[in-house]
């Protein structure tokens, strides 16, 4: 094996015994995992294991094998995998209708020749659009030293000409899990509206996440009339929760209720659940599909341009940053601190800092920092007060967790509950300036839940609309165990495991983080 470089080419160099066979490449089956960064030896080991697992030998034509492996991994599961005998029927989704929708009408839709509105099953979208010329190019992801161009195609989302469910037999259910996120109601609304466009009559909302599958939680019948205005408010019409029943009980409940089309809105955890439900349905030979819609303001789902709610979160976060700036700038030696969400990914903090242009120090989970010492954050804040009289710090909730006391607590889903880095930084700043006898007026703003409870802004509203509609198109097309996403501005279907193998994180070597550093002017605090 000719592994000499992982992640960005500069991350790690391992001597290669057979020089001419050496290749420098990035293991980008999900890029470098955060836990790999702990120790160099473990990075090498984990990378070798990963390459080994993929069964690839990156020889001269390694890129071809990578490409084939990619195609295999990104194939999306279909009902016909288990039921090869199923034959599709012409779609009932048609925007050229001249009559109102009647149950199971099949006669009013023109064929594809008459209406170019259907997506072909073989249509694809390119996942990566940059051709790197060298592994040392900023952000390069290469499988060999030449950075050979690999075409990575993923399935295009949208309505198909042939569908695998008659609308009259569909019993659809929608569930929203995890934490709140702007846009949940927009997606619920679009799923319901699109299902009705296909002619579906039985649509149910399950309440409070996966807990809604329990017998004692009443469900909500959904229709266009019920969801018409729900997008005007934040939150979720259906409610959310963490934890809840196991996969077997969920699928038992689906069978009891006769649910054969399940739409699951949630983050990484929810999607792991959705994939398990899909597998269990397959095992039980149920003619049922499970389709996810990624929901996370943290923007921590792999491979997508962004997830819905993120834009809104960034926009709202700026209000808090602006307030912190005004407070700090109006005070004598003012320091404003804003804590934003981001359990393991600092996207909201990074983008809000970039957007506001008012942040002097942006701290994210992906980049370690010292508070104390000559290169620490506190010393830099002192410099800022001395030179520009005020400073604004924007910190993601998952940043600097090595500096705060561990809580050892987990939430109902098993996620670790973090210590409050915002409060910790506030206290440390106060202590530091008191000790050096310098006045500092510290104001701390934690807008996290205010941001999460907002209604979606216009850009997220559009994203939610497209994702919700595509979820329904995917389900009718017979795909299951998939999720919808936006990729290079086009809309696609991904197999769930590929987007949740780990959390998407800010790459400290990415151009975006470099832009953020350029904008704030902060040093590296080490
Ligand atoms: N590995 C898993 N397998 C099956 N179900 C899971 C798994 N992880 C989490 N879940 C279930 O998914 C639901 C949501 O999980 P979680 O609370 O982690 O939120 P999430 O979907 O990751 O969203 P958020 O971004 O808000 O954290 C919970 O009901 C939880 O029980
Ligand atoms: O308080 P809750 O509901 O557990 O949610 C907090 C978490 O939810 C998230 O917003 C993700 O949805 C994280 O950023 C945050 O850690
Ligand atoms: Mg989660």
């Amino acid at each position: 094996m000719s592994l000499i470089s992982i992640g960005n080419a500069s991350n790690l160099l391992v001597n290669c015994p057979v020089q001419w066979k050496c290749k420098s490449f990035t293991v980008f089956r999900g890029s470098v995992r955060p836990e790999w960064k702990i120790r160099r030896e473990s990075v090498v080991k984990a990378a070798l294991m990963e390459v080994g697992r993929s069964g690839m030998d990156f020889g001269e034509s390694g890129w071809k094998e990578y490409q084939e492996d990619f195609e295999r991994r990104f194939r999306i599961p279909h009902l016909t995998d288990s039921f090869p005998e199923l034959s599709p029927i012409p779609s009932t989704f048609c925007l050229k209708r001249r009559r109102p929708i009647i149950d199971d009408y099949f006669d009013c839709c023109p064929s594809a020749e008459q209406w170019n509105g259907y997506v072909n099953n073989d249509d694809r979208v390119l996942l990566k659009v940059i051709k790197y010329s060298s592994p040392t190019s900023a952000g390069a992801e290469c499988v060999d030293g030449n950075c050979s161009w690999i075409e990575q195609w993923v399935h295009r989302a949208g309505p198909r000409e042939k569908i695998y469910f008659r609308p009259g037999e569909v019993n659809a259910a929608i569930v929203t899990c995890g934490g709140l996120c702007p846009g949940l109601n927009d997606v619920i609304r679009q799923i319901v509206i699109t299902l009705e466009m296909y002619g579906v009559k039985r649509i149910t909302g399950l309440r409070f996440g996966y807990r809604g599958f329990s017998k004692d939680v009443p469900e909500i019948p959904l229709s266009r009339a019920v969801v018409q205005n729900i997008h005007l408010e934040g939150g979720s019409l259906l409610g959310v929760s963490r934890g809840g029943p196991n996969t077997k009980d969920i699928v038992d409940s689906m069978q009891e209720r006769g649910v054969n089309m399940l739409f699951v809105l949630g983050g990484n955890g929810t999607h792991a659940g959705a994939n398990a439900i899909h597998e269990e349905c397959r095992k039980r030979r149920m003619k049922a599909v499970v389709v996810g819609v990624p929901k996370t303001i943290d923007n921590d789902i792999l491979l997508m341009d962004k997830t819905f709610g993120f834009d809104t979160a960034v926009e709202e976060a700026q209000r808090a940053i602006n307030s912190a700036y005004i407070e700090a700038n109006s005070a004598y030696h003012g320091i404003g601190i804003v804590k934003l969400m981001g359990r393991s990914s600092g996207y909201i903090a990074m983008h809000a800092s970039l957007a506001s242009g008012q942040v002097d120090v942006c701290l994210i989970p992906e980049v370690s920092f010292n508070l104390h010492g000559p290169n620490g954050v506190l010393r830099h804040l002192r410099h800022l007060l001395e030179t520009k009289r005020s400073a604004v710090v924007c910190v993601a909730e998952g940043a600097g967790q090595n500096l705060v006391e561990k809580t050892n607590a987990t939430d109902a889903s098993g996620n670790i509950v973090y210590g409050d880095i915002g409060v910790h930084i506030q206290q440390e700043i106060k202590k530091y300036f008191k000790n050096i006898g310098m006045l500092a007026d510290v104001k701390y703003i934690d807008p996290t839940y205010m941001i999460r409870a907002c209604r979606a802004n216009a850009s997220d509203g559009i994203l939610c609309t497209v994702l919700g509609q595509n979820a329904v198109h995917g389900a009718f097309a017979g795909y299951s165990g998939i999720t919808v996403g936006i990729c290079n501005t086009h809309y696609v279907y991904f197999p769930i495991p590929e987007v949740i193998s780990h959390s998407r994180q800010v790459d400290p070597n990415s151009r975006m983080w470099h832009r953020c550093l350029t904008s704030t002017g902060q040093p590296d605090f080490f």
Side-chain angles (χ1 to χ4, degrees), residues 184-497:
L184 280 168
N185 281 335
D186 302 60
V187 179
I188 296 169
R189 179 173 181 270
Q190 284 301 326
I191 291 175
V192 172
I193 287 173
T194 312
L195 283 167
E196 286 198 352
M197 287 289 281
Y198 273 89
V200 176
K201 298 276 189 256
R202 284 182 298 168
I203 314 171
T204 305
L206 299 171
R207 306 215 60 199
F208 306 113
Y210 286 134
R211 290 174 195 277
F213 282 98
S214 311
K215 282 201 182 72
D216 51 344
V217 183
E219 49 187 48
I220 309 180
L222 297 174
S223 63
R224 184 186 270 262
V226 173
V227 300
Q228 190 59 43
N229 293 317
I230 61 173
H231 61 304
L232 302 179
E233 279 184 17
S236 165
L237 170 77
L238 305 177
V240 290
S241 77
R242 301 191 187 276
N246 62 36
T247 305
K248 195 185 149 298
D249 292 343
I250 291 173
V251 181
D252 285 349
S253 165
M254 277 176 74
Q255 284 186 309
E256 277 159 32
R257 293 166 200 256
V259 169
N260 55 5
M261 223 180 240
L262 178 62
F263 298 96
V264 182
L265 283 55
N268 278 293
T270 305
H271 274 72
N275 202 52
I277 296 168
H278 151 74
E279 293 291 354
E280 183 65 20
C281 290
R282 212 141 84 154
K283 213 168 92 194
R284 297 189 193 187
R285 292 194 56 77
M286 292 162 61
K287 192 200 165 198
V289 289
V290 183
V291 177
V293 182
K295 166 242 62 144
T296 151
I297 57 168
D298 293 0
N299 203 27
D300 59 357
I301 305 247
L302 295 168
L303 306 177
M304 303 173 183
D305 295 356
K306 62 179 175 180
T307 48
F308 75 80
F310 173 66
D311 254 10
T312 310
V314 170
E315 197 168 302
E316 283 301 312
Q318 278 182 88
R319 291 182 208 270
I321 292 174
N322 190 242
S323 302
Y325 171 77
I326 290 170
E327 285 286 347
N329 201 41
S330 307
Y332 176 75
H333 281 182
I335 298 178
I337 308 163
V338 179
K339 184 179 81 170
L340 299 174
M341 275 187 175
R343 204 197 286 273
S344 56
S345 309
Y347 285 101
I348 301 179
M350 176 174 75
H351 281 246
S353 298
L354 270 168
S356 77
Q358 292 169 321
V359 171
D360 300 289
V361 176
C362 176
L363 303 171
I364 59 172
E366 295 87 342
V367 180
S368 309
F369 58 91
N370 285 325
L371 276 182
H372 298 274
N375 301 324
V377 173
L378 300 172
R379 180 66 191 82
H380 182 61
L381 289 176
R382 176 180 170 179
H383 164 74
L384 291 171
L385 291 193
E386 284 163 354
T387 53
K388 59 185 277 266
R389 283 195 314 104
S390 68
V392 176
V393 179
C394 174
V395 57
E397 65 173 324
Q401 284 302 307
N402 56 322
L403 306 174
V404 292
E405 211 174 312
K406 294 219 173 349
T407 64
N408 285 329
T410 52
D411 67 18
S413 296
N415 301 305
I416 295 165
V417 175
Y418 285 154
D420 196 327
I421 183 69
V423 170
H424 179 74
I425 289 181
Q426 177 197 25
Q427 288 167 349
E428 291 303 303
I429 292 174
K430 283 184 176 170
K431 269 195 261 169
Y432 173 80
F433 283 100
K434 194 171 171 204
N435 284 345
I436 63 169
M438 187 172 168
L439 199 88
D441 192 346
V442 185
K443 299 287 190 304
Y444 175 48
I445 302 178
D446 178 349
T448 46
Y449 290 106
M450 291 178 73
I451 289 173
R452 218 172 65 166
C454 280
R455 69 171 273 199
N457 68 9
S459 131
D460 273 331
I462 294 167
L463 180 58
C464 292
T465 299
V466 183
L467 297 179
Q469 292 185 5
N470 279 335
V472 176
H473 296 316
F476 264 99
Y479 296 115
S480 182
I482 62 160
T483 194
V484 292
I486 181 166
C487 178
N488 298 315
T489 72
H490 296 283
Y491 297 92
V492 300
Y493 296 133
F494 288 110
I496 290 176

Side-chain angles (χ1 to χ4, degrees), residues 129-184:
V129 289
I130 297 184
K131 162 83 180 84
Y132 296 101
S133 60
S134 152
T136 56
S137 294
E141 292 178 331
C142 308
V143 296
D144 60 27
N146 303 322
C147 275
S148 297
W149 170 249
I150 298 176
E151 290 185 2
Q152 300 174 64
W153 297 105
V154 291
H155 290 249
R156 184 179 175 205
R160 279 19 186 194
E161 197 187 353
K162 293 280 163 56
I163 56 175
Y164 283 82
F165 288 94
R166 287 176 185 274
E169 75 186 14
V170 172
N171 188 353
I174 309 174
V175 62
T176 56
C177 315
L180 285 182
C181 177
L184 280 168

Side-chain angles (χ1 to χ4, degrees), residues 75-84 278 282 285 480:
R75 184 189 166 275
I76 47 179
H78 194 268
L79 275 177
T80 50
D81 299 344
S82 302
F83 303 100
H278 151 74
R282 212 141 84 154
R285 292 194 56 77
S480 182

